[in-house]
Amino acid sequence: MPAPVKSVLPVVLLGCGGVGRYLLRHIVSCRPLHANQGVAIRVVGVADSSSLLVADDVHSSGLDDALLTQLCAAKAAGSPLSALLGQGHCQLFQNPEARSKVIDAATMLGRTTGLVLVDCSATYDTVSLLKDAVDHGCCIVLANKKPLTGAYEDFQKLVSNFRRIRFESTVGAGLPVIASATRIIASGDPVSCIVGSLSGTLGYVMSELEDGKKFSEVVKKAKSLGYTEPDPRDDLGGMDVARKALILARLLGQQISMDNINVESLYPSELGPDAVSTEDFLESGLVQLDKSMEERVKAASSRGNVLRYVCEIGSTGCQVGLKEVPKDSALGRLRGSDNVVEIYSRCYESSPLVIQGAGAGNDTTAAGVLADIIDLQDLFRKTA
Amino acid sequence: MPAPVKSVLPVVLLGCGGVGRYLLRHIVSCRPLHANQGVAIRVVGVADSSSLLVADDVHSSGLDDALLTQLCAAKAAGSPLSALLGQGHCQLFQNPEARSKVIDAATMLGRTTGLVLVDCSATYDTVSLLKDAVDHGCCIVLANKKPLTGAYEDFQKLVSNFRRIRFESTVGAGLPVIASATRIIASGDPVSCIVGSLSGTLGYVMSELEDGKKFSEVVKKAKSLGYTEPDPRDDLGGMDVARKALILARLLGQQISMDNINVESLYPSELGPDAVSTEDFLESGLVQLDKSMEERVKAASSRGNVLRYVCEIGSTGCQVGLKEVPKDSALGRLRGSDNVVEIYSRCYESSPLVIQGAGAGNDTTAAGVLADIIDLQDLFRKTA
């Protein structure tokens, strides 16, 4: 017999593309598991970039599981949320009314029974809504990195009630990086440095270079394996890693912004998107980078080191780029597309705490988001 | 300006030896940090094996920091708790009255403002007290493995309100193994297998053997480095690893006991403590084991593998002993005294989630206990 439900978590999901759809599926399939643990997730609304589907009565009910399942199928097929009208006890609102309906729900539920705004979109546009929700006492769970990597004031506002925000999946997908760093900090063990390989793509590329392969060939192979963005320069430029680095730096208390991070791009501006098309970059641009990369790899090797594309957050600031690391360190031993993070602190001084594993993928990212939601349950417990 | 205190966590500490003393020091030194986070830990009582020092009025005050600091110094110098009488607003009770005073505090505070019983002892004797405390609505934080590795019914009782118990430091000290596995399970990602090297001593010994050194010499070296217990057979027998394995197995839902775990001892019963003294074991016993160990290491090496002393928790049960692992796996690459844990699940199927780092030491273990205590704060928040 399942335990009596002690905690109900009403959720509004912003963004129902890849990660968001997986999250809804996980929520539905985990119902029996969560019931056993005395917790229930009530999805009261789901929004995409243009509209919001919301339960008729957010106080007492959510969108039912059949509707959520249909919603996943519709979004996977490229249909808009409006295609679901008439499928259940719900209403559809277009922007900008959609936004005010989310605020209505936040006002009604935020301080009383709690409301979790889950951002699985990939846009800056959610920031003002999230900040308003914080004012209404809501919780925030983010897979979207952008709200935390804009203006420092936005970050500060979003984390102002630190027990009410989770953002594990912004760094290393479901890997317990933020949770572990937060635990270490809370125990009074000051984190002195975090070094990480936080791009599966660049991790793969750099480890393949050790075997003497050409940079251009390895990047094309990575693209054919689906590891890169459609334009690999979106990976090679390092901005995605820099966003993760900024989140970690801010978590450690650094009041910095993207401008303060040195980001080394693996291609020069002459081969950038403004100057060269994706096709030309792949056909003739990449090969121009082979020689200098080969020289760097060889130079590192002569010192017993290998090259990794890492972020490094220390007391002196935050850097993102190529770094020589010992062959037999956790970073140096990395192969394939796994992420790895090394955390140094008083307790992990000479030998770091290392966390390694798959750091991308809709399934894994959504699992991290769901664990974050569940982690909020004690804030809204019905009874002690 | 620190945030207003939103959560007060009254704590009774059982066991103020190494880990317990470090915990009290951490609690005192973290006061400003925790005040900034709106949380305060109130140590209302500290017990050793014979007596309990308890605040005059557990409702409104705790033992003050000066007294806690004196207490650490007294225990470090080998003095009993009674040496502290007259040092502050506190009372001293000897067993068995001490026990009933803890229950009094649990009865008064458990359901209302919360009370956390923190067990840093190394005895089975605390189990009945902890079970009673659960009945009174108290939270439990354990560094002590024994309450979780006795009768299955005891484990079941202690974890019956799973949000009110933490036991990170029972496995791998402060390494986030339990927290990470719990996150993965909560996200509906079923853990299929955990493989770990959870003894720093045996990790060191097995990795040193790869260089062709003799088993007897490596064990003696480990002893001289302070890695082993005074009698190294306490490590070589594998029982400490087996207790950690049992905790992980039970966390994964296996209803098993120590009797159900195959534990491979690295010494035969003819060389056990009943037959041979510690001195004789070190002088002449150990060397008898060199040849067979050398053969096993060589056989593994011929297959590209290395030997590790691991626990393996899978669907087929739980084993503890020597295992051949690929040289280039996380376990195979392990050097020195770090612990490493590989967690396999749907999301971490071909390539596991790996957590690695120092898995022993009073400082690290106490830091893990403190993080566990802080993690309970949302259960006793004053206001939403």
Side-chain angles (χ1 to χ4, degrees), chain A residues 211-227:
Chain A
D211 303 333
K213 290 176 193 149
K214 283 183 180 161
F215 182 66
S216 57
E217 285 167 10
V218 172
V219 172
K220 283 183 209 164
K221 179 81 184 291
K223 184 171 157 62
S224 74
L225 290 168
Y227 286 175

Side-chain angles (χ1 to χ4, degrees), chain B residues 45-235:
Chain B
V46 177
D48 63 11
S49 58
S50 60
S51 55
L52 167 77
L53 202 68
V54 68
D56 277 343
D57 178 8
V58 298
H59 270 296
S60 58
S61 63
L63 304 171
D64 65 41
D65 286 355
L67 179 59
L68 294 177
T69 306
Q70 283 181 312
L71 191 156
C72 291
K75 290 303 291 187
S79 302
L81 283 178
S82 53
L84 293 154
L85 261 186
Q87 304 289 323
H89 300 284
C90 63
Q91 294 176 278
L92 188 87
F93 298 97
Q94 302 293 327
N95 284 339
E97 206 186 353
R99 186 188 188 286
S100 72
K101 289 292 164 189
V102 175
I103 295 295
D104 285 351
T107 312
M108 277 190 279
L109 302 176
R111 286 191 204 287
T112 51
T113 60
L115 179 68
V116 187
L117 257 66
V118 179
D119 186 353
C120 293
S121 76
T123 164
Y124 281 108
D125 298 343
T126 54
V127 182
S128 79
L129 180 58
L130 294 173
K131 290 198 294 180
D132 285 351
V134 166
D135 283 334
H136 290 291
C138 292
C139 293
I140 308 284
V141 172
L142 303 171
N144 183 8
K145 289 181 276 291
K146 289 181 179 161
L148 298 177
T149 54
Y152 183 74
E153 292 68 32
D154 289 344
F155 173 84
Q156 209 167 20
K157 174 82 183 180
L158 291 174
V159 305
S160 59
N161 191 340
F162 195 69
R163 297 301 290 187
R164 297 202 166 207
I165 186 165
R166 298 288 188 280
F167 44 99
E168 188 59 85
S169 296
T170 60
V171 176
L175 290 179
V177 176
I178 309 275
S180 300
T182 302
R183 273 185 69 88
I184 293 174
I185 294 166
S187 73
D189 180 18
V191 173
S192 53
C193 184
I194 297 180
V195 187
S197 175
L198 291 171
S199 159
T201 315
L202 296 178
Y204 170 83
V205 167
M206 298 316 297
S207 67
E208 288 291 298
L209 292 181
E210 281 167 52
D211 302 333
K213 291 176 192 151
K214 283 183 179 163
F215 182 66
S216 57
E217 285 167 11
V218 173
V219 172
K220 282 185 210 164
K221 179 80 184 290
K223 184 171 158 62
S224 73
L225 289 169
Y227 286 176
T228 71
E229 298 291 324
D231 184 338
R233 287 172 294 191
D234 288 342
D235 300 291

Side-chain angles (χ1 to χ4, degrees), chain A residues 246-266:
Chain A
L246 179 59
I247 291 171
L248 291 174
R250 287 176 166 181
L251 179 71
L252 298 193
Q254 296 185 16
Q255 297 182 19
I256 61 170
S257 294
M258 285 297 274
D259 298 344
N260 307 111
I261 302 181
N262 283 322
V263 185
E264 178 184 6
S265 170
L266 294 188

Side-chain angles (χ1 to χ4, degrees), chain A residues 34 186 338 351 354 356 363, chain B residues 34 186 338 346 351 354 356 363:
Chain A
H34 292 155
D338 269 3
S351 183
V354 180
Q356 181 175 338
D363 187 1
Chain B
H34 292 153
D338 269 2
R346 184 191 69 233
S351 182
V354 180
Q356 183 176 335
D363 187 3

Side-chain angles (χ1 to χ4, degrees), chain A residues 26 30 33-34 111 163-164 168 174-176 180 183 185-188 333 338 346-348 351-358 363-364 367-368 370-372 374-375 377-379 381 384, chain B residues 26 30 33-34 111 163-164 168 174-176 180 183 185-188 333 338 346-348 351-358 363-364 367-368 370-372 374-375 377-379 381 384:
Chain A
H26 288 348
C30 284
L33 174 77
H34 292 155
R111 286 191 203 287
R163 296 301 288 184
R164 296 203 165 206
E168 188 59 87
L175 290 180
S180 301
R183 273 184 69 88
I185 294 166
S187 74
R333 290 181 306 239
D338 269 3
R346 184 191 69 231
C347 288
Y348 304 101
S351 183
L353 167 62
V354 180
I355 298 165
Q356 181 175 338
D363 187 1
T364 311
L370 183 50
D372 273 356
I374 291 296
D375 201 34
Q377 66 181 279
D378 295 331
L379 290 164
R381 219 152 254 290
Chain B
H26 289 348
C30 283
L33 173 79
H34 292 153
R111 286 191 204 287
R163 297 301 290 187
R164 297 202 166 207
E168 188 59 85
L175 290 179
S180 300
R183 273 185 69 88
I185 294 166
S187 73
R333 289 181 307 239
D338 269 2
R346 184 191 69 233
C347 287
Y348 304 101
S351 182
L353 167 62
V354 180
I355 297 164
Q356 183 176 335
D363 187 3
T364 311
L370 183 51
D372 274 357
I374 291 295
D375 201 34
Q377 67 181 278
D378 294 331
L379 290 163
R381 219 153 253 289

